[in-house]
Amino acid sequence: MSEERKKDAGAEQRQFALEYPIAAADKTLERGPYVDGFSSRTVLGALFVAVIMMPGAVYMGLVAGQSLGQAAEWVTIILFAELARRSFTQLKRQEIFVLFYVASSIAAVQLLHLALSGGPLAGVIWNQYLLQSPQTSGIADQIPDWVAPPADSPGILERNLVHPAWWYSASKGFLSPITLILMAYVLGRMGWFGLGYLLFRATSDAERLPFPLAPVAAQGATALAEATDREESGRPGKRSWRWTVFSVGATFGIVFGAVYVLIPVTTGLFMSKPIMIFPIPFIDFTRSVENYLPASLISISFDAMLLLAGMILPFRLVLGVVTAILCTSVFGNPVLQKLGFFPHWTPGNGLLVNQMILAYDFWMSVAIGLALAVALVGLRFVIANAWKQLRMTRAERDAALRAEDAAHATDPGEPPYRRACKDRGDLPVWVAIALYAACAAGFTGVSHVLVPDFPVWIFIVFAFIWSPLNSYISARLIGLTGQGLAVPFLRETVFITSGYKGVDIWFAPIPLFDFGGAAQKFRELELTRTKFTSLIKAELIMFPIVFVASFLFWWFFWRLNQIPSDRFPFAARIWPVAARQAYLIFTANSSEQSLLLEALKPPLIAGATGVGLGLYAVLGVFKMPVTFFYGIIGGVGQPFHVALPMLVGALASRYYFSKKFNPENWYRYVPVLAAGFSCGMGLSGMTAVALALIAQCTRALPF
C-alpha cells in the first residue's frame, strides 16, 4: 500500500473514532471464532415464548392496549441464563443472541396502531372485524372472500377458524385468508434473508458503516453470557466489567420501570385514575404556548430510553435532530402559520391533533421530498464507492485487506475482519439473490392473481426496483444513524393515482418492502461471532411453532368472545376508530375528492427535494459530517419532547461521563448500560403485565 493510501486510511480511522466513539471503542466483541448459536435451548426458548408469552401478549393487547415489548425477550433470556448458571453449565453469548432473536420475533407486534400481537393470525381477526364493523358496512360486500369468508358463512357466525371457508375460498381456491398469510410469512422471511444479507454485504462489508446501535444487543448478550461463565473446577468464573455495568443498568431500569410503568398499571387496577409520577407518554404544552408560538409542537417526555439514545447515537447526529426540531416544530411552524401554510390549523388543539393537521397541510409533502433527497444522496454514495473500488488495483485491495486483518486480529487463525468467509456462515451471493427473487416474484404473482385488473407493472416496479432501492437507503441510514427511512403514504398515493377503483387492492399482499433493518441484524451476528446459519436454523424451527401457536390462541380467544366486545375494552374503544380510518383509506381511490391525494402537493415535494440536496451540498462545503445531515432529515417535523432528552443525554455523555470515566472506557460502557437498562425495564413491565392479567382474570375492568 502506498504511503498516500496509508495516510488516507489513518485519517479515515481517526474520523471514524471521532464520529462513532461507541462503535470504535470496544473491539473485543469481534474477537474469536464464529460459533453456531442454535441449540436445544433455542427450541425450548421458542416454545416458552410461544406457549407462555404469546397468550399474555394477545390478551393484554385486546384488554389494555399494552405490548409485552422487551419484557418477553429479557425475561426469556434471564430465565435461561439463570437455569444455566444453577445447572453448572455455560450459556454461550451466541446462544443468548439467538434466544433474543427468537423471543423478539415471536413476541413482535403485528399491527402497531392496534397494539395487536400474537403472531401472523392477528391479521385474520382484524379482517373479520372490518367485514362486520358498522364503520365499514358500506364496503363490506366488496371485501373479497380471500380476505375473510362472507358475513353469512359459518366460519364467521360461529367464530371458527377451523371452518373450511378460512382455508379454501370460493373465488380463488387455495388462495384463502389463512393460506395467504402462511404464504406471505414464508415468502417474507425468504426476502428478509436474501435482500437483508445483500444489504449487509453492501453497507457493512463494502462501505464499513458503523451501525451505532448494533453494539447494544451484542454487548447485552455478551454480558449475560459472562454471568454464566464457570472455571474448569466448576466454580463461577471471574466476571468482567460488562456484567458489572449491565447489573448497574438493570438496577436503574428496574427502578425507573417501577416508577414509570409498574405504579401506573397497578394503581389503575383499583383506582378510577392511575397515579402517574411521570406523565405518559409526554406533557403537552402546545395549548399553553399557542399565543406566543402558534402551531408549534411543544412537549416534554420523561422516557429514559430517549436519554440513553442520546448517549449512544453519534453526537453530531443528535445535534442535527435537535437543530431540525427547533427550526421546524418549535420556531418554524409559527412562521409558516403566519405565512398561511397551515390553513386547517385552529387554536385549542393538542399536540397529536396539531401534528396530524400540520402533516396534512405541509409536512407530509416535505417528508416525501426529503426522502427523495436522501435516496439521491444514497445513490451518490453507491456510485462513489463503486468508483473507488474500480480505481484500486487488485494488489492494493489485497494489501488493504491484509493490513485491516492484522490491525484487528489477536490470533493468526482468526477469521478475516468484516469480510465474507466460510467461518462466518456466509451465503453464496447467488443464493441470496435467488431468495429475494423468489420472494418478489411470489408476491407479484399472487397479487396479480388476486387483483388481475390492477396494472401489473406497478407490482413489478415495487418488487424489483423500489423495494431494493428503498431497503438499501434505509439500511444505509441505519448503518449511519441507527434509524431507517419510511416514505409516508407511498402505497396509498400509487393506488389512488393508478385509476383502479376496487377495494380488493387494499388487501392484496403487494411486494412493497423495507428490509433495511436486516442489515443491522447481520451486523449484530457478526459482533457476537454468531454464525449466520444459526438464524436460518432458528427460522426453520420458529415457523411451525409460531404459526401453530398463533392459530390456536386466536382460535381460542375468538371462540370465547366476539372481538372486539365488552370483554376486551381496549379493542372495543379503539377498533371502531381504526375501522373508520381504514374506511376513509379504502374508499380513497373510488371517491371523487380524496383527502389523502389533496395532502400531497407536488410543488412542495419538489421544493423539499431541492432543499435537501442543497443542504447536503452546503454542509459538505463546510466539512460537516454526513451524520449531521441525516440527523436534520430525521428531526424535521418531530415534536420537541424527542429533542430534549436526546440532547441532555448527548451533552451528559460527551462533557461529563466521558471525562469522569475516561472516554475510551465510557464509550465501551454505554451500550452495555443501555442493554441492562432495557432488561430492567422489561422485568418491571413483565411484573406489571402479570399483575394486570391476574386482575383481569378475577374481575372486570371498571371501564
Side-chain angles (χ1 to χ4, degrees):
M1 186 188 301
S2 65
E3 290 299 323
E4 182 180 352
R5 292 196 180 276
K6 287 182 180 179
K7 290 180 180 179
D8 291 342
E12 289 179 1
Q13 292 176 2
R14 289 190 295 273
Q15 183 65 23
F16 177 84
L18 179 63
E19 294 299 328
Y20 304 98
I22 291 177
D26 190 2
K27 295 300 182 183
T28 60
L29 282 174
E30 298 180 86
R31 305 293 191 193
Y34 287 95
V35 178
D36 191 349
F38 182 82
S39 66
S40 59
R41 296 186 182 102
T42 309
V43 181
L44 292 175
L47 289 171
F48 174 79
V49 177
V51 175
I52 304 300
M53 298 292 186
M54 187 180 286
V58 170
Y59 192 69
M60 285 303 296
L62 294 173
V63 171
Q66 298 293 320
S67 169
L68 293 185
Q70 295 178 328
E73 304 159 12
W74 287 111
V75 168
T76 303
I77 293 170
I78 291 292
L79 173 64
F80 277 78
E82 282 299 307
L83 287 175
R85 189 170 66 86
R86 296 177 187 277
S87 301
F88 301 100
T89 60
Q90 180 181 352
L91 201 61
K92 297 178 292 187
R93 63 172 173 170
Q94 291 82 5
E95 289 180 302
I96 289 178
F97 184 81
V98 174
L99 272 174
F100 189 92
Y101 174 80
V102 168
S104 61
S105 299
I106 294 178
V109 179
Q110 301 296 318
L111 299 173
L112 293 177
H113 66 296
L114 302 173
L116 201 54
S117 304
L121 269 295
V124 167
I125 303 301
W126 169 244
N127 288 337
Q128 65 83 23
Y129 174 67
L130 288 177
L131 181 73
Q132 305 178 78
S133 170
Q135 288 76 19
T136 56
S137 59
I139 59 170
D141 58 341
Q142 302 177 48
I143 296 178
D145 61 354
W146 46 264
V147 175
D152 58 354
S153 168
I156 294 292
L157 298 177
E158 298 173 6
R159 303 197 299 275
N160 185 11
L161 290 179
V162 182
H163 192 273
W166 287 103
W167 300 85
Y168 190 89
S169 64
S171 64
K172 300 297 180 182
F174 286 105
L175 295 180
S176 62
I178 292 182
T179 56
L180 279 173
I181 287 178
L182 177 64
M183 188 182 305
Y185 183 90
V186 173
L187 290 175
R189 300 316 294 168
M190 291 171 61
W192 188 92
F193 269 97
L195 186 56
Y197 174 75
L198 294 173
L199 294 171
F200 164 76
R201 291 289 300 273
T203 57
S204 182
D205 285 357
E207 298 185 54
R208 292 291 195 266
L209 299 184
F211 290 92
L213 294 186
V216 175
Q219 292 277 25
T222 303
L224 284 170
E226 289 174 347
T228 66
D229 282 351
R230 310 193 74 83
E231 296 176 349
E232 293 182 0
S233 62
R235 295 178 301 175
K238 184 179 179 181
R239 295 178 180 178
S240 73
W241 61 268
R242 285 193 186 89
W243 179 249
T244 303
V245 176
F246 186 90
S247 301
V248 171
T251 303
F252 281 117
I254 291 172
V255 174
F256 182 79
V259 175
Y260 194 67
V261 178
L262 187 59
I263 291 177
V265 170
T266 53
T267 55
L269 295 175
F270 57 86
M271 299 177 65
S272 59
K273 186 177 181 180
I275 298 174
M276 290 188 183
I277 299 176
F278 296 131
I280 302 174
F282 49 77
I283 304 177
D284 187 358
F285 293 105
T286 302
R287 295 189 185 95
S288 303
V289 301
E290 65 183 16
N291 291 331
Y292 313 100
L293 297 171
S296 62
L297 303 176
I298 307 297
S299 51
I300 296 178
S301 173
F302 295 94
D303 187 353
M305 291 307 298
L306 289 173
L307 186 79
L308 287 171
M311 294 182 175
I312 294 171
L313 292 174
F315 184 73
R316 302 290 176 80
L317 172 70
V318 176
L319 290 185
V321 171
V322 174
T323 301
I325 291 175
L326 292 176
C327 293
T328 57
S329 299
V330 178
F331 301 114
N333 281 351
V335 175
L336 292 172
Q337 194 274 330
K338 293 292 185 182
L339 296 175
F341 283 93
F342 302 136
H344 295 93
W345 179 84
T346 55
N349 294 321
L351 183 142
L352 296 178
V353 175
N354 272 348
Q355 193 172 14
M356 181 179 64
I357 292 172
L358 303 183
Y360 175 86
D361 284 340
F362 187 81
W363 291 116
M364 185 188 301
S365 298
V366 171
I368 294 174
L370 292 176
L372 293 175
V374 171
L376 295 174
V377 171
L379 286 176
R380 178 256 182 193
F381 275 100
V382 174
I383 296 171
N385 184 68
W387 177 248
K388 180 181 178 181
Q389 294 296 322
L390 288 173
R391 289 179 58 193
M392 293 179 66
T393 65
R394 180 64 180 268
E396 287 177 329
R397 283 196 293 268
D398 291 343
L401 293 175
R402 285 195 299 270
E404 190 176 50
D405 290 341
H408 292 87
T410 56
D411 190 316
E414 193 167 298
Y417 175 72
R418 297 186 78 166
R419 199 157 72 252
C421 62
K422 183 179 179 180
D423 293 340
R424 199 172 68 172
D426 282 88
L427 302 173
V429 172
W430 70 266
V431 171
I433 295 174
L435 284 173
Y436 180 72
C439 164
F443 275 104
T444 300
V446 170
S447 297
H448 182 57
V449 170
L450 295 176
V451 194
D453 295 331
F454 189 82
V456 68
W457 67 267
I458 294 179
F459 296 147
I460 295 173
V461 170
F462 275 163
F464 295 98
I465 299 177
W466 173 256
S467 290
L469 176 62
N470 181 59
S471 297
Y472 170 72
I473 296 168
S474 184
R476 203 169 191 288
L477 278 174
I478 292 172
L480 286 168
T481 70
Q483 300 176 353
L485 174 70
V487 180
F489 297 103
L490 174 64
R491 184 185 70 147
E492 291 80 358
T493 304
V494 171
F495 287 176
I496 294 169
T497 56
S498 68
Y500 186 77
K501 302 298 182 182
V503 171
D504 50 358
I505 186 60
W506 297 100
F507 297 95
I510 65 168
L512 187 60
F513 317 116
D514 179 4
F515 292 133
Q520 175 165 304
K521 190 60 64 178
F522 280 101
R523 176 61 180 152
E524 292 172 1
L525 286 169
E526 189 178 45
L527 287 172
T528 56
R529 286 314 215 206
T530 305
K531 284 190 174 182
F532 294 175
T533 51
S534 303
L535 251 59
I536 298 177
K537 297 175 185 177
E539 284 285 347
L540 291 176
I541 196 65
M542 279 168 51
F543 168 65
I545 293 175
V546 170
F547 190 80
V548 171
S550 179
F551 175 81
L552 290 176
F553 287 124
W554 278 114
W555 174 78
F556 174 75
F557 279 111
W558 195 34
R559 289 283 285 182
L560 285 180
N561 291 286
Q562 181 61 271
I563 302 175
S565 66
D566 292 340
R567 293 281 185 175
F568 307 112
F570 175 83
R573 295 172 61 186
I574 299 300
W575 284 27
V577 178
R580 179 61 181 170
Q581 294 173 340
Y583 176 79
L584 293 176
I585 292 177
F586 294 161
T587 57
N589 60 330
S590 58
S591 60
E592 295 296 331
Q593 189 175 12
S594 172
L595 293 176
L596 182 59
L597 197 58
E598 288 180 1
L600 302 176
K601 303 172 177 62
L604 269 180
I605 295 174
T609 303
V611 169
L613 294 175
L615 179 63
Y616 178 79
V618 170
L619 292 177
V621 170
F622 288 98
K623 306 297 183 182
M624 293 295 290
V626 69
T627 52
F628 185 72
F629 168 75
Y630 286 121
I632 289 177
I633 298 298
V636 168
Q638 296 295 319
F640 183 66
H641 70 259
V642 175
L644 187 59
M646 287 183 66
L647 179 62
V648 171
L651 293 175
S653 175
R654 189 178 182 92
Y655 296 109
Y656 178 73
F657 290 110
S658 65
K659 298 183 184 301
K660 182 177 178 61
F661 295 101
N662 183 292
E664 183 178 351
N665 290 334
W666 170 247
Y667 290 121
R668 285 191 299 163
Y669 294 164
V670 172
V672 185
L673 189 71
F677 188 88
S678 297
C679 178
M681 281 282 290
L683 293 175
S684 293
M686 198 65 209
T687 304
V689 168
L691 293 174
L693 279 174
I694 294 172
Q696 298 302 327
C697 291
T698 54
R699 64 179 177 86
L701 285 175
F703 55 90

